C-alpha cells in the first residue's frame, strides 16, 4: 500500500473503530468484504483489522474506502495523513520514471518541467484537474455511472441517426462470454465485473485522485478474461456522454478483422467504423479531445516483431497496410489528442511498449475465486452438485487457473453437470485440463449428443477442424473465414456438429468468420492434429509443412517466438495414451496414432518436459504397463518441484516370486525384469535429485526384490528430505523390512505408516529405528501387522527410550489385553512423551480397558485415545469414567465407536462429564443408547461447566422423541456440536487419523 494503514487505525478509540467497521461494509462495491466473516472483522482490533484489509482485500479498494470512511467519520486529520502519504508515494514513483508492468496504476508522470511543478500540480489539482492553460482532465468528461447494459442503450437516444445503431450493435457483439447463456444473469454480473476496474481508469472514475493522467490505457490479460467486454462497455459509456458543441465520438477497431483487410487510408478506416467521421474533416478529428479509439486484440496483428516502429505514417489520405496505420495511431502520429484504449494478451506487451508513451497498464484478471464459485452456484440447480463440481475443478491447479475465463467455467459446468445428474464421479474428468477438454469435445460433438442424428464424414470434419486450429496457433490468429475452410475442403455444413456444440462459433465482430470458443479449445484441437494418423491428416488437407512437426512444436526457439505453442505441447503429452486414443476413435471414428509418443521421447527436448512439470507439486502415478514405466522414468527425472508422490505399480510389471513360475516362463520374465530395471532406476533417481519431495505413498504395489532393493538404495544413497512415508499393501514380503533398514537415522522422517499382512520380521528392525539417536519420528502407524507377543513387548520397551514419538496408531492388530498391559508399563514411564494412541479394533476387552483406565488416573502424557470397535463392556466403561473424574486425567478426545455400550452405561458417562474439565470430543457412534441413555447424557451436557464441544451419536431419525431431546440439549449448550452416525458403519467410521496424521 502507498500509506501505512495500521498506525491510522490504532489512532481510533474503540467506539470509533466500531463505527469504522460498520461504515466499511456500506461502501461500494460491498462484495469486496464478502469473503471475510463479519465475526472476524467485529472481533479485530486496529492492528488486526489493518492486517485483514491489506492481506485479503484489493489494495486499491482499501486505499479508496479508508479515506472515504475517515471523511464520513469527520476524522479529517487521519484522512489528510493518508492523502499526504499517497502524494509522497506518487512523487517517488514519478522520480523513478518507471511504468508498472501490470496491476494497479493510479498516478502517472505529468508533463511538468521539474519536481516543484509536480508538487504544485498535485497540491492545486482538484477533481477538475490541472492549472491554467492545461487541457481539461479526462475525469471531467465522464457523465454518470451506468448500472446495466439496458441503460446504456437507452442513453444513446438522441444521437445522430445511425450512430445509436452502430454503438448498440457493438454492444450486442460483446461475445460469447456474456451472451449465449455462458454467463447466468449476464447483465448483473457484467455491471459488477466492469465496476471492479472502472475505479482504475481516469475517464471512468470522476473520484480518482487529482493528477495528470495518461491518454493511453492498456488492458492486458489472458485470453477470454473480459478485456473486449470492458472496452466495449466503456466505449458505450463514453458515447452516451454527448456534450453540445463538441465533436464526441468513439471508434472500435478489431485487430482480428482488420488483419484481413487490404491497404487503405486512415480516413477510410475511420469512416467504416463511425458515421460521424464521414462529416468531420481530418483537421477537426486530429484536434478533437473527446475522441476514444478502442484497439481491440493488439496481439492479433500479424506483423514481424519490431516492424511497426519503423514504418510510421501521419498522412490521413495515404493508403497504408492497416497494421501500419494502427502503429502510427499508437505513436500519436494520427489523432494525437485522442484517448486510446488498447486490449492485448501479455505476450504482445513487449511490442506494444515500443509504440506507446507512458500508458496506464491494467491487468484484467477475469473471474476471481469468488466469481467462479458464484458462477457454479448459478449454473447448477442443486447447491451440493455445484459445490462438488467447483471443488473438482479446484482440485486441478492448472484447470482452476484457466477458470479465470468464464468460457472455461462454462465448459467445466457443462461437462460435470451431465455426469453428476447420471450419478458419475466427476473427479477423473477434472483431474487435468486434457481430460476435461476431451470429455467436452466428445460430449458436445459426438453423433450421440442430444438432438443430433448421424453425421456423415465426421472423422474428416474433425481432422479438418484440428488442422484449422493448428494453422491458427502457428499463425497466431484465432479468426477464420470461408477461404480458410475452402482450403481444407470443408464447408459450414460439414462443421455443423462443432458449431452446434459451441466448440466453433460464428464470430460476432467479423461477418462470415469463425472463432473457437476459447483459446484453450483451439490449443487442445491443435494438439489433437498431431495425434491423428498421418495418412488421414493428409486426406484432410495435406501434411501442411508450414505448421511444422512435433520436433518443431516442442523446440524452445519456436515456443519463445509463439508462447501459444507451449499449452499445445502440454495437451499433446496428455492425449498420448491408449485410453484417450480409444475414446477418440470410439466417438469420432478416426484413427489415432500413438507413434507420437515415441516422437515426444525422441525429441530430446528435456527442457519442455522440465517446463511442463515445473508447476506440478503433487502427482499420483499409476503404472499399469511396462510402457508406463518407460515414459514415467523419462519424465519424473525433471519433476524438481514435486513435493508429494503417490505411486501404485500393477501386478505383472516386475517378477514377484521366482518359485511361482514355470522354469521357461521364469527365464523369460527374469530377462524382462532385468530389461526394465534401468528404467526403474531412472525413476527412483528422482529421490536423490529432488530435494523438495517430502511425502511418498506406495500403495497396492507389486514389486520385485530387485526393484525394492534399487528403490531403497536410491533413497539412502543421498541426503533426502522425505518427511512422511506410507507403505500400504506392498509385495514382496521383505519390502517392509528393507525400508525399515534404510530409515534408521533418517533425520527428516517424522511420519511413517506401515500397513499390510506381509510385514514379517519387520518389528525388530523398526525398534532399532526408534532407538536410533537421530530418530525424529513423531507419528507411527502400524496396521494389520504379523507380530509375536515378544515383538510387541520389544516395541513397547523402545517407546520408553524414544524421545520424539507422540502419536502411535496400532489399528487392526491382535494387541489384546496383554498388549494394553505392556503399554501401561511404557506410558507410565516418566520419559515417555506419547500423547495420542489408537487401539481401534485390537481385540481389547474390559480387562485391558481397566488397565488403560488406571493409566489415565496417573500422571501420563496421554491426551487422545481411540478404543473403537473393542468389546470393553459395562465394566470397561465404568472404569474409564472413573478415570475421567480424576484430576490427573488430561484426556481431551475419547473414541468409543462401536464398543457395544448400552443405555445402562450412560449413567457412568453422565457422571464423568459432570466432573471432567478437559474432554472436548467424545465419540459414541454405532452404540445403541436409545432415548433413555441419551436423556441421561443430556443432564450433564446441558451444564454450562461441561467442556464437551463435539459429540457423535447413533441416532434414529424416525424417533421424534429423540429429535426433540437433541434440540433441547443444543439450546442448553449452544457450543456443543452433535454429529449423527446413522450410515453403514465401516464407511462412516470417524477416523482417528484426523487427530493423529
Amino acid at each position: 500500500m502507498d500509506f501505512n494503514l495500521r498506525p491510522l487505525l490504532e489512532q481510533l478509540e474503540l467506539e470509533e473503530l466500531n463505527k469504522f467497521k460498520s461504515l466499511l461494509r456500506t461502501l461500494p462495491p460491498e462484495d469486496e468484504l464478502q469473503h471475510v466473516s463479519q465475526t472476524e472483522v467485529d472481533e479485530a482490533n486496529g492492528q488486526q483489522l489493518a492486517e485483514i484489509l491489506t492481506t485479503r482485500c484489493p489494495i486499491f479498494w482499501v486505499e479508496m474506502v479508508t479515506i472515504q470512511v475517515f471523511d464520513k467519520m469527520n476524522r479529517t486529520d487521519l484522512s489528510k495523513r493518508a492523502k499526504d502519504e499517497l502524494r509522497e508515494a506518487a512523487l517517488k514513483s514519478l522520480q523513478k520514471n518507471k511504468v508498472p508492468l501490470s496491476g494497479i496504476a493510479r498516478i502517472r508522470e505529468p508533463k511538468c518541467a521539474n519536481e516543484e511543478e509536480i508538487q504544485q500540480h498535485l497540491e492545486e489539482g482538484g477533481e477538475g484537474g490541472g492549472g491554467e492553460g492545461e487541457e481539461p482532465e479526462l475525469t471531467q468528461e465522464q457523465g454518470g455511472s451506468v448500472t446495466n447494459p439496458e441503460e446504456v442503450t437507452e442513453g444513446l437516444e438522441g444521437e445522430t441517426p445511425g450512430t445509436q445503431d452502430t454503438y448498440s450493435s457493438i454492444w450486442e457483439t460483446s461475445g460469447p462470454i456474456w451472451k449465449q447463456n455462458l454467463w447466468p444473469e449476464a447483465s448483473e454480473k457484467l455491471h459488477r465485473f466492469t465496476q471492479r476496474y472502472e475505479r482504475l481508469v481516469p475517464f471512468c472514475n470522476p473520484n480518482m485522485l487529482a493528477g495528470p493522467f495518461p491518454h493511453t490505457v492498456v488492458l492486458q490479460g489472458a485470453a477470454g478474461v473480459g478485456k473486449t467486454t470492458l472496452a466495449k462497455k466503456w466505449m458505450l459509456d463514453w458515447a452516451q456522454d454527448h456534450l453540445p458543441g463538441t465533436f464526441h465520438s468513439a471508434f472500435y477497431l478489431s485487430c482480428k478483422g482488420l488483419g484481413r483487410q487490404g491497404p487503405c487510408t486512415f480516413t477510410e478506416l475511420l469512416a467504416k467504423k463511425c458515421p460521424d467521421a464521414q462529416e468531420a474533416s481530418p483537421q477537426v478529428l486530429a484536434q478533437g479531445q473527446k475522441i476514444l479509439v478502442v484497439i481491440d486484440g493488439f496481439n492479433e496483428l500479424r506483423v514481424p516483431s519490431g516492424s511497426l516502429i519503423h514504418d510510421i505514417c501521419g498522412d490521413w489520405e495515404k493508403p497504408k497496410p492497416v497494421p501500419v496505420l494502427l502503429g502510427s495511431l499508437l505513436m500519436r502520429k494520427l489523432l494525437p489528442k485522442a484517448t486510446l484504449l488498447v486490449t492485448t494478451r501479455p505476450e504482445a506487451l513487449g511490442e506494444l511498449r515500443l509504440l506507446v508513451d507512458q500508458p496506464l497498464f491494467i491487468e484484467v484478471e477475469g473471474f476471481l475465486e469468488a466469481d467462479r464459485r458464484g458462477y457454479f452456484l448459478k449454473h447448477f440447480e442443486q447447491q451440493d452438485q455445484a459445490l462438488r463440481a467447483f471443488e473438482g475443478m479446484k482440485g486441478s491447479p492448472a484447470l482452476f487457473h484457466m477458470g479465470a475465463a468464464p468460457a472455461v467455467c462454462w465448459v467445466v459446468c457443462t461437462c460435470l453437470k451431465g455426469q453428476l445428474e447420471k450419478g458419475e464421479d466427476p473427479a477423473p474428468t477434472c483431474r487435468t485440463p486434457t481430460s476435461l477438454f476431451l470429455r467436452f469435445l466428445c460430449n458436445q460433438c459426438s453423433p450421440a449428443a442430444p438432438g443430433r442424428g448421424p453425421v456423415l464424414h465426421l472423422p474428416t470434419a474433425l481432422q479438418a477442424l484440428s488442422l484449422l486450429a493448428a494453422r491458427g496457433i502457428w499463425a497466431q490468429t484465432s479468426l477464420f473465414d470461408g477461404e480458410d475452410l475452402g482450403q481444407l475442403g470443408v464447408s459450414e455444413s460439414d462443421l455443423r456438429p462443432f458449431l452446434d456444440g459451441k466448440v466453433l462459433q460464428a464470430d460476432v465482430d467479423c461477418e462470415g468468420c469463425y472463432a473457437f470458443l476459447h483459446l484453450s479449445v483451439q490449443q487442445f484441437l491443435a494438439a489433437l492434429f498431431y495425434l491423428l494418423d498421418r495418412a488421414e491428416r493428409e486426406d484432410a488437407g495435406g501434411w501442411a509443412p508450414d505448421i511444422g512437426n512435433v520436433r518443431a512444436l516442442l523446440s524452445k526457439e519456436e515456443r519463445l517466438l509463439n508462447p501459444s505453442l507451449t499449452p499445445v505441447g502440454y495437451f499433446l503429452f496428455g492425449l498420448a495414451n491408449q485410453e484417450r486414443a480409444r475414446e477418440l476413435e470410439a466417438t469420432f471414428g478416426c484413427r489415432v496414432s500413438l507413434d507420437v509418443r515415441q516422437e515426444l521421447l525422441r525429441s530430446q527436448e528435456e527442457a519442455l518436459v522440465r517446463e511442463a512439470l515445473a508447476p506440478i507439486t503433487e502427482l499420483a502415478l499409476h503404472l499399469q504397463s511396462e510402457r508406463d514405466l518407460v515414459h514415467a522414468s523419462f519424465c519424473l527425472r525433471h519433476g524438481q518441484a514435486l513435493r508429494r508422490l503417490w505411486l501404485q505399480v500393477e501386478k505383472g510389471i516386475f517378477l514377484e516370486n521366482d518359485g511361482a513360475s514355470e522354469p521357461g516362463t521364469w527365464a523369460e520374465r527374469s530377462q524382462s525384469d532385468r530389461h526394465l530395471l534401468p528404467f526403474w532406476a531412472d525413476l527412483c533417481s528422482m529421490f536423490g535429485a529432488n530435494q523438495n519431495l517430502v511425502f511418498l505413498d506406495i500403495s497396492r504395489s507389486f514389486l520385485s526384490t530387485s526393484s525394492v532393493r534399487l528403490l531403497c538404495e536410491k533413497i539412502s544413497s543421498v541426503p533426502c528430505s522425505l518427511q512422511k512415508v506410507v507403505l500400504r499393501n506392498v509385495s514382496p514380503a521383505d519390502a517392509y523390512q528393507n525400508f525399515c533398514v534404510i530409515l534408521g537415522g533418517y533425520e527428516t522422517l517424522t511420519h511413517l505408516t506401515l500397513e499390510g499382512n506381509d510385514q514379517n520380521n519387520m518389528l525388530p528392525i523398526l525398534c532399532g529405528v526408534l532407538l536410533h539417536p537421530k530418530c525424529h519420528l513423531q507419528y507411527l502407524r502400524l496396521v494389520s501387522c504379523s507380530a509375536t507377543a515378544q515383538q510387541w513387548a520389544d516395541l513397547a520397551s523402545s517407546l520408553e527410550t524414544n524421545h520424539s514419538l507422540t502419536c502411535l496408531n496400532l489399528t487392526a492388530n491382535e494387541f489384546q489385553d496383554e498388549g494394553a498391559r505392556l503399554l501401561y508399563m511404557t506410558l507410565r514411564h516418566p520419559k515417555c512423551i506419547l500423547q495420542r494412541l489408537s487401539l481401534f479394533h485390537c481385540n481389547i476387552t474390559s480387562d485391558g480397558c481397566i488397565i488403560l483406565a488406571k493409566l489415565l488416573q496417573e500422571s501420563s502424557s496421554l491426551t487422545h485415545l481411540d478404543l473403537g470397535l473393542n468389546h470393553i463392556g459395562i465394566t470397561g466403561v465404568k472404569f474409564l469414567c472413573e478415570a475421567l473424574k480424576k484430576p490427573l486425567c488430561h484426556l481431551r478426545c475419547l473414541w468409543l465407536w462401536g464398543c457395544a455400550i448400552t443405555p445402562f452405561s450412560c449413567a457412568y458417562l453422565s457422571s464423568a462429564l459432570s466432573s471432567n474439565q478437559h474432554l472436548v470430543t467424545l465419540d459414541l457412534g454405532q452404540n445403541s443408547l436409545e432415548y433413555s441413555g441419551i436423556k441421561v447424557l443430556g443432564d450433564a451436557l446441558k451444564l454450562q461447566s461441561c467442556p464437551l464441544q463435539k459429540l457423535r451419536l447413533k441416532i434414529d431419525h424416525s424417533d421424534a422423541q429423540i429429535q426433540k431431546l437433541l434440540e433441547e440439549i443444543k439450546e442448553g449448550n449452544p457450543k456443543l456440536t452433535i454429529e449423527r452416525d446413522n450410515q453403514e458403519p465401516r464407511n462412516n467410521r470417524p477416523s482417528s487419523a484426523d487427530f493423529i496424521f
Side-chain angles (χ1 to χ4, degrees), residues 345-398:
R345 292 183 204 149
E347 54 263 30
L349 282 176
E351 183 76 15
L352 183 59
R353 289 179 190 281
L354 299 176
L355 303 173
V356 294
D357 181 31
Q358 298 188 28
L360 171 66
F361 284 90
I362 297 176
E363 181 179 8
V364 181
E365 299 175 301
F367 271 0
L368 304 180
E369 180 172 345
D371 300 323
R372 290 170 231 185
R373 188 175 185 274
Y375 182 98
F376 276 67
L377 291 171
K378 292 291 185 182
H379 196 282
F380 286 83
E381 295 177 0
Q382 299 182 25
Q383 181 177 344
D384 60 331
Q385 287 188 353
L387 295 178
R388 189 178 175 192
F390 177 71
E391 291 301 323
M393 182 178 77
K394 198 173 179 181
S396 169

Side-chain angles (χ1 to χ4, degrees), residues 643-655:
R643 293 181 57 81
R644 298 165 66 84
L645 175 65
W646 288 263
L647 177 62
Q648 181 181 351
V649 181
E650 285 292 345
K651 190 171 186 176
I653 296 180
F654 293 111
L655 180 65

Side-chain angles (χ1 to χ4, degrees), residues 507-525:
D507 189 77
V508 291
D509 289 323
C510 190
E511 186 176 354
C513 294
Y514 303 89
F516 290 93
L517 171 67
H518 186 259
L519 177 62
S520 56
V521 175
Q522 182 178 351
Q523 291 165 335
F524 173 81
L525 286 163

Side-chain angles (χ1 to χ4, degrees), residues 948-966:
L948 205 64
Q949 299 175 11
K950 186 187 214 179
L951 174 66
R952 190 177 181 94
L953 297 172
K954 180 180 180 181
I955 300 170
D956 184 358
H957 284 280
S958 62
D959 192 324
Q961 194 177 18
I962 291 181
Q963 300 297 328
K964 183 179 179 181
L965 178 59
L966 292 176

